[in-house]
Every structure is written in C-alpha cells, then in structure tokens.
Amino acid sequence: MTDFTLADLETIVAARAGSDDPESYTAKLARKGVPTVARKLGEEAVEVVIAALAEDERALAGEAADLLYHLVVLLHLKKVPLSAVMAELGRRTAQTGLQEKAARPAAD
C-alpha cells in the first residue's frame, strides 16, 4: 500500500471540483459553493468531536478523513493552496504554542 497524502487529495479535489461528472460528489459539492462546503465542514468537525468522546477509534478515523476532505474542498474553492497551510503550520511550530499564541495580534 502506498502512502496517501493530503497533497494527493488536493490534486484529486482540484481535478474533480471542475468536472461535470454527475457521479462526482466533489463536483456536486463544489457547485454548491463556499457556504454549503463551510457548513458541511462544521458538521464534520462536530462529528469528529462526537467520535472522539465516544472513544471509537475507527469512527474517529473515518470522521477525521471526512473533515480533512471537506477542508481541502473549501481551501480549493477559496483558492488557498495546501502549501500555504503547511507553510503556516511550519511557521507556527518553529516556536512553542504558547509563544506563537502570545505573538498573535490582540483581538479587537
């Protein structure tokens, strides 16, 4: 089995999002637009929490996969490349989480 990466998923989502394939969930979802995808992402986040609290590792893995998929679709629609997210994570992990949080601008 080969290792599947988020970059692989990003490539697949990009190819399918613009497709007119009536069998493609990604194409159908992308046509519904950012508000629908964002709501779906929120639903998936809640399902991740529920699976985690239920201590069901298999369900958690499945829900986490759904969450990541919908996040990648949303990033695609907003034209934010996964590389930008990874760069931000890299920047943040160059210091401790508390240092990074303290360096953020204060909320208005």
Side-chain angles (χ1 to χ4, degrees):
M1 182 174 142
T2 61
D3 291 330
F4 186 79
T5 68
L6 286 177
D8 295 332
L9 180 59
E10 180 181 44
T11 299
I12 292 167
V13 164
R16 293 182 181 170
S19 159
D20 58 3
D21 180 356
E23 298 297 313
S24 172
Y25 175 71
T26 302
K28 180 179 177 182
L29 187 61
R31 282 192 297 273
K32 290 183 178 183
V34 169
T36 296
V37 176
R39 278 191 299 276
K40 186 65 178 167
L41 180 65
E43 291 169 15
E44 296 301 342
V46 170
E47 290 173 6
V48 166
V49 172
I50 292 167
L53 293 175
E55 298 184 14
D56 183 340
E57 291 178 9
R58 186 172 180 187
L60 179 56
E63 296 301 343
D66 290 345
L67 180 66
L68 290 172
Y69 164 78
H70 287 90
L71 176 59
V72 170
V73 172
L74 184 62
L75 291 171
H76 172 77
L77 292 177
K78 295 298 294 181
K79 297 181 178 26
V80 175
L82 187 57
S83 61
V85 175
M86 300 311 290
E88 179 62 15
L89 285 171
R91 185 191 67 75
R92 290 181 182 192
T93 56
Q95 55 190 333
T96 70
L98 294 176
Q99 290 170 329
E100 187 279 326
K101 188 173 181 179
R104 291 182 194 171
D108 292 329

